[in-house]
Amino acid sequence: MVNLDMLKRLQVPLAFLVGFAHDTTKRLQDMIPRNIEFLSITYDLRDQNDSYLKPDWPIWDWRDYAVLGLLQSWLEDWKVCTPHLRGISLVLEWVDDFGDEWNPSMRQQLRELGTQTGVQLEIIAIDEM
């Protein structure tokens, strides 16, 4: 996918970019096309194996703090690998105001990352649409 140089907009499940299992060796900058302007990362495949529905698939174990870490790592030097980047959306089934999945504190950290890097970052919760 990284070689799709003409691609400007992309909506893709997180699992397609970095797999189901939290892996600190995976980097978004190694997967994202260089000329991308808008990226929407979805959790579409999370439910497929969050509850072990597909025994032959790896278990989904990405958590919000790990996804935030992926974004931080990429956006530290985004102008080198994706110089046309304008915005990133995380498209989620829900956000949890009281639990540990994209709670208000994590959403604030995401907003601060966007402010620091100059890239628009947003969370779109499908249950709010």
Side-chain angles (χ1 to χ4, degrees), residues 18-26 59-63 65-67:
V18 292
F20 283 90
H22 179 184
D23 181 346
T24 58
T25 65
K26 302 285 176 110
I59 302 303
W60 176 277
D61 70 353
W62 283 101
R63 298 294 175 243
Y65 68 87
V67 175

Side-chain angles (χ1 to χ4, degrees), residues 1-2 17 25-33 74 81:
M1 185 168 13
V2 73
L17 296 174
T25 65
K26 302 285 176 110
R27 299 174 350 140
L28 291 173
Q29 56 266 45
D30 296 335
M31 302 303 295
I32 306 299
W74 172 25
C81 53

Side-chain angles (χ1 to χ4, degrees), residues 16-122:
F16 280 14
L17 296 174
V18 292
F20 283 90
H22 179 184
D23 181 346
T24 58
T25 65
K26 302 285 176 110
R27 299 174 350 140
L28 291 173
Q29 56 266 45
D30 296 335
M31 302 303 295
I32 306 299
R34 177 171 175 74
N35 293 320
I36 199 78
E37 292 179 12
F38 295 98
L39 176 66
S40 294
I41 300 173
T42 71
Y43 279 40
D44 287 350
L45 297 175
R46 174 191 180 139
D47 291 338
Q48 300 302 317
N49 227 30
D50 197 27
S51 300
Y52 310 102
L53 296 175
K54 305 276 186 187
D56 53 329
W57 288 12
I59 302 303
W60 176 277
D61 70 353
W62 283 101
R63 298 294 175 243
D64 55 356
Y65 68 87
V67 175
L68 185 61
L70 278 173
L71 291 169
Q72 287 170 328
S73 173
W74 172 25
L75 295 177
E76 286 174 356
D77 211 16
W78 67 270
K79 291 179 183 177
V80 172
C81 53
T82 49
H84 305 288
L85 184 65
R86 295 171 46 196
I88 301 169
S89 300
L90 294 176
V91 182
L92 309 174
E93 294 291 323
W94 71 90
V95 293
D96 188 352
D97 284 335
F98 304 105
D100 63 351
E101 291 296 316
W102 293 107
N103 61 42
S105 172
M106 291 302 295
R107 294 193 304 261
Q108 179 60 32
Q109 289 181 48
L110 186 73
R111 283 190 292 275
E112 290 171 3
L113 178 60
T115 299
Q116 292 168 0
T117 61
V119 175
Q120 177 186 348
L121 295 170
E122 68 176 338

